């Protein structure tokens, strides 16, 4: 089956320039939130003038799911109520981190223009030239895999302005279920480092450790907000359908299922659907090729048939920062206790709790005895949310020291992921893990999926995402089967026609299909996906 040509994540989408009758004036931009909780953009035409709001009035999402592929159309509509003011507005919003943007369309009154894909610097240049020339224009920029900005210039007065984004993605699968997760809010993230001013239009200063903080920090929303207009069509037979954060209304016919929120849905949490897929009992691989790109998916059986033959040195790391307060810290404590009680007598464990500082249950690994587990339960029960989210130190500590031959080091990192220094944290895991395997468990209604998946990827493990309302014990029991030896290790592609494989190699765990993307030239021929079993 052909796939659309993949698009680099380092992209911007620039809308072609379009002449308007609006003259250009110097515009100063600030972004904030209204008392009612609606996300708004505030613009002023003079430095000391009273700001005027440009509210986000609606968000429409239309998704179509066929097998493991999803196409999603997102339309965001603003109301420009200013009578005749030339204006530039910026809106910071989330998109699924694994999706590729394939189209952008801007509508301003009766004017419609299409976007073009360009490298970021070229797109910015095109947009700036259009803005300075008085044209209505827009540019969509990927600030992070999951955080985007759309900037709109020279909007006509008294009109609705909409930006439509088209996405394509391969849905993640785990334990026989596909998951479609659509983020509706960028949750506040802790930005470590010293403030150094703002290069973007967000609500937070850039810092020495997060130099793009002002590009990924929309204002904190109060209660209420813009309503979400969502419809998801699922084609083919669906055996089971779950929605963990929203009540849903489902319509079914012979070959499709249509899902909508059953009540008012606002932009304050992810929309998550899980649907069952066919079971598998053996490792298999499928490949798709189109336009010089090759995608190979390795599909393992749902149940992990490989026992954790080696004794494990398990490091549990739990986030106790302020963002984990309430139901999240309760779920995190339950997850930690459940994982602890699933250990075998030959295993050892270490527990680290962190906010802006760290504390440990023991200074070194403790044998998995009944008494040590009992004392650890008492220690876990006292963990409360507080402070900032300083992830670097506990990551370094969890991977420090050497593992004795004949044992395997595994790390389970439990957090909501709300930190902004992604690159620093990824480098820490990649450079220090040696032969350790790093797993992440994200607990939140608006989890930082991009960061947690990237840490697991560079750490050779898997990422599990759940909400505080999920059955945490079931989640951990599924995950425990992976906290050891992978079904297949060091899986890679080999072919004379293939180059630039990403990632170069990876591990495969039971119930978790993985994909490798590569370029090819000429005739593709035979491609081998090989790995080490057990």
């Amino acid at each position: 089956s052909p796939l659309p040509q993949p698009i680099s994540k380092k992209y911007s989408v620039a809308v072609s320039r379009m002449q308007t009758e609006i003259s250009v004036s110097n515009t100063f931009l600030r972004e904030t939130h209204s008392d009612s909780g609606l996300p708004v953009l505030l613009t002023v035409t003079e430095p000391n003038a009273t700001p005027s709001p440009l509210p986000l009035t609606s968000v429409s999402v239309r998704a179509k799911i066929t097998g493991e592929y999803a196409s999603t159309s997102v339309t965001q509509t603003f109301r420009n109520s200013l009578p005749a003011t030339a204006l530039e507005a910026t809106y910071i919003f989330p998109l699924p981190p694994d999706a590729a943007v394939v189209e952008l369309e801007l509508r301003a009154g009766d004017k419609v223009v299409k976007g073009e894909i360009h490298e970021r610097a070229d797109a910015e240049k095109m947009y700036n030239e259009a803005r300075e020339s008085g044209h209505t224009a827009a540019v969509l920029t990927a600030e992070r895999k999951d955080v985007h900005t759309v900037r709109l210039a020279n909007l006509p007065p008294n009109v609705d302005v909409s930006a439509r984004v088209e996405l394509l993605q391969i849905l993640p699968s785990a334990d026989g279920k596909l998951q479609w997760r659509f983020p509706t809010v960028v949750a506040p993230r802790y930005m470590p480092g010293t403030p150094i001013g703002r290069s973007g239009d967000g609500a937070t200063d850039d810092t020495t450790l997060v130099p793009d903080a002002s590009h990924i920090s929309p204002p904190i929303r109060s209660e209420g907000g813009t309503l979400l207009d969502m419809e998801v069509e699922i084609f083919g037979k669906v055996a089971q359908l779950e929605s963990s954060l929203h009540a849903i209304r489902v319509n079914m016919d012979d070959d499709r299922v249509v899902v909508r929120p059953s009540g008012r849905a606002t932009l304050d949490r992810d929309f998550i659907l899980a649907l069952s897929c066919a079971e598998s009992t053996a490792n298999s691989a499928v490949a798709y090729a189109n336009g010089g790109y090759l995608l190979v998916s390795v599909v393992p059986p749902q149940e992990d048939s490989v026992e954790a033959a080696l004794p494990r040195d398990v490091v549990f790391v739990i986030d106790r920062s302020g963002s984990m307060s309430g139901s999240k810290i309760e779920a995190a404590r339950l997850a930690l206790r459940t994982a602890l009680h699933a250990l075998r007598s030959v295993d050892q464990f270490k527990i680290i709790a962190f906010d802006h500082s760290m504390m440990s249950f023991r200074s070194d690994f403790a044998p998995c005895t009944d008494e040590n587990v009992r004392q650890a339960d008492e220690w876990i029960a006292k963990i409360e949310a507080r402070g900032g989210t300083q992830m670097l130190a506990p990551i370094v500590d969890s991977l420090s020291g050497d593992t004795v031959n004949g044992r395997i080091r595994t790390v389970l990192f439990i957090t909501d992921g709300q930190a902004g220094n992604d690159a620093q944290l990824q480098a820490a895991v990649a450079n220090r893990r040696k032969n350790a395997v790093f797993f992440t468990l994200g607990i939140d209604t608006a989890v930082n999926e991009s960061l947690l998946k990237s840490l697991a990827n560079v750490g050779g493990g898997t990422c599990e995402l759940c909400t505080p309302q999920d059955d945490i014990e079931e989640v951990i029991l599924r995950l425990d089967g992976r906290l050891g030896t992978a079904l297949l290790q060091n899986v890679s592609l080999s072919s004379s026609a293939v180059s630039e494989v990403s990632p170069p190699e990876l591990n495969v765990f039971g119930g978790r299909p993985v994909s490798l993307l590569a370029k090819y030239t000429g005739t593709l021929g035979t491609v081998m996906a090989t790995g080490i079993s057990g």
Side-chain angles (χ1 to χ4, degrees):
S1 300
L3 283 179
Q5 181 169 325
I7 296 173
S8 169
K9 282 296 181 182
K10 297 180 180 179
Y11 64 80
S12 288
V13 184
V15 169
S16 301
R17 60 184 73 176
M18 167 174 75
Q19 185 63 47
T20 72
E21 297 178 356
I22 306 300
S23 60
V24 178
S25 65
N26 292 326
T27 300
F28 299 86
L29 175 68
R30 299 184 182 90
E31 185 174 20
T32 184
H33 64 277
S34 67
D35 293 337
S36 64
L38 288 170
V40 297
L41 300 170
L42 296 186
T43 65
V44 292
T45 55
E46 299 295 338
N48 298 318
T50 302
S52 300
L54 176 64
L56 174 67
T57 59
S58 68
V59 174
S60 172
V61 179
R62 297 290 182 267
K64 298 180 185 295
I65 299 174
T66 303
E68 61 181 332
Y69 302 103
S71 62
T72 306
S73 176
V74 184
T75 303
Q76 301 171 97
T77 303
F78 305 84
R79 179 64 182 174
N80 180 17
S81 58
L82 301 180
T85 304
L87 150 70
E88 182 180 45
T90 301
Y91 180 55
I92 302 173
F93 64 100
L95 287 175
D98 296 328
V101 175
V102 296
E103 185 177 341
L104 170 67
E105 178 185 270
L106 172 67
R107 290 178 176 266
D110 59 354
K111 298 179 173 63
V112 180
V113 289
K114 300 284 188 178
E116 300 173 351
I117 302 292
H118 293 278
E119 291 292 334
R120 180 168 183 154
D122 294 337
E124 290 283 345
K125 180 180 178 181
M126 292 173 61
Y127 171 78
N128 290 333
E129 290 175 351
R131 181 190 60 196
E132 296 301 323
S133 299
H135 302 300
T136 296
V139 61
L140 172 70
T141 305
E143 306 295 352
R144 298 284 177 88
K145 286 185 176 181
D146 59 336
V147 181
H148 296 64
T149 59
V150 61
R151 291 159 57 203
L152 310 170
N154 301 318
L155 303 180
N158 296 312
V159 297
D160 286 337
V161 179
S162 65
R164 179 176 60 84
V165 181
E166 297 288 335
L167 309 170
L168 291 176
Q169 65 186 124
I170 300 175
L171 299 181
S173 175
D175 303 305
K177 291 183 179 179
L178 294 168
Q179 186 180 86
W180 184 78
R181 175 186 287 261
F182 188 83
T184 68
V185 63
V186 180
R189 299 178 182 180
Y190 182 77
M191 308 295 182
T194 304
I196 56 174
R198 297 188 188 183
S199 59
D201 302 312
T204 303
D205 285 341
D206 299 330
T207 74
T208 51
L209 296 178
V210 192
D212 62 345
S214 63
H215 294 265
I216 61 171
S217 54
I220 299 174
R221 293 161 44 81
S222 56
E223 293 300 319
T226 307
L227 295 181
L228 174 64
D229 174 20
M230 175 172 286
E231 179 179 284
V232 182
E233 290 183 271
I234 306 169
F235 295 90
K237 300 296 182 181
V238 177
Q240 187 178 9
L241 183 66
E242 301 171 358
S243 173
S244 57
L245 292 178
H246 293 81
I248 56 175
R249 184 171 70 253
V250 179
N251 295 324
M252 295 179 286
D253 56 31
D254 291 340
D255 59 356
R256 69 169 188 155
V257 176
V258 180
V259 181
R260 302 179 183 90
S262 65
R264 291 167 58 89
T266 57
L267 308 182
D268 62 354
R269 69 195 67 186
D270 294 351
F271 195 97
I272 306 170
L273 290 177
L275 52 147
S276 63
C277 56
E279 294 187 0
S280 175
T281 58
N283 292 308
S284 61
V286 292
Y288 308 88
N290 183 48
Y293 289 88
L294 172 70
L295 180 72
V296 176
S297 294
V298 179
V299 184
Q302 290 184 32
E303 295 184 359
D304 196 338
S305 59
V306 175
E307 296 291 335
L310 296 177
R312 296 174 295 180
D313 293 342
V314 183
V315 185
F316 299 112
V317 184
I318 181 172
D319 182 350
R320 63 172 185 180
S321 64
S323 67
M324 292 289 291
S325 61
S327 60
K328 287 195 285 185
I329 195 64
E330 294 175 5
R333 287 195 299 256
L334 176 58
L336 178 51
R337 287 196 302 270
T338 304
L340 175 65
H341 283 261
L343 296 181
R344 303 166 302 162
S345 59
V346 295
D347 297 331
Q348 299 181 130
F349 68 91
K350 184 177 182 180
I351 308 175
I352 302 170
F354 75 93
D355 46 76
H356 55 272
S357 61
M358 285 194 311
M359 67 176 185
S360 299
F361 168 64
R362 298 276 176 83
S363 59
D364 204 348
F365 286 96
C368 188
T369 64
D370 290 344
E371 178 60 20
N372 284 339
V373 170
R374 184 192 65 78
Q375 292 181 19
D377 281 338
E378 295 178 354
W379 189 85
I380 293 168
K382 299 176 183 178
I383 297 175
E384 298 292 342
R386 65 181 196 182
T389 313
Q390 294 276 14
M391 293 186 180
L392 181 61
I395 286 177
V396 171
D397 190 71
S398 71
L399 297 171
S400 63
D402 296 321
T403 302
V404 177
N405 288 337
R407 303 186 68 87
I408 183 171
R409 169 90 59 100
T410 61
V411 179
L412 177 59
F413 200 84
I414 305 171
T415 178
D416 57 7
Q418 303 304 350
N421 52 328
D422 299 32
Q424 185 184 37
L425 301 178
Q426 293 165 23
V429 174
N431 295 335
R432 289 174 169 83
R433 79 177 186 92
K434 302 174 185 174
N435 293 321
V437 187
F438 197 94
F439 299 84
T440 56
L441 173 63
I443 303 176
D444 201 353
T445 58
V447 71
N448 188 351
E449 179 180 359
S450 175
L451 172 61
L452 297 184
K453 283 188 173 180
S454 66
L455 293 179
N457 286 340
V458 299
T462 64
C463 171
E464 190 83 28
L465 303 177
C466 63
T467 73
Q469 293 75 32
D470 286 339
D471 187 337
I472 299 298
E473 291 175 307
E474 180 184 350
V475 171
I476 289 297
L477 291 176
R478 291 200 310 264
L479 181 61
D480 179 66
R482 304 182 186 113
L483 293 179
T485 305
L487 283 176
L488 293 173
Q489 301 178 55
N490 305 327
V491 174
S492 60
L493 299 183
S494 59
S495 168
S496 59
V498 167
S499 63
E500 297 184 35
V501 181
S502 178
E505 60 181 31
L506 42 72
N507 295 335
V508 179
F509 294 86
R512 297 301 295 259
V514 298
S515 296
L516 299 99
L517 182 66
K519 289 184 177 181
Y520 72 90
T521 56
T523 302
L524 189 56
T526 300
V527 178
M528 298 291 294
T530 59
I532 302 171
S533 177

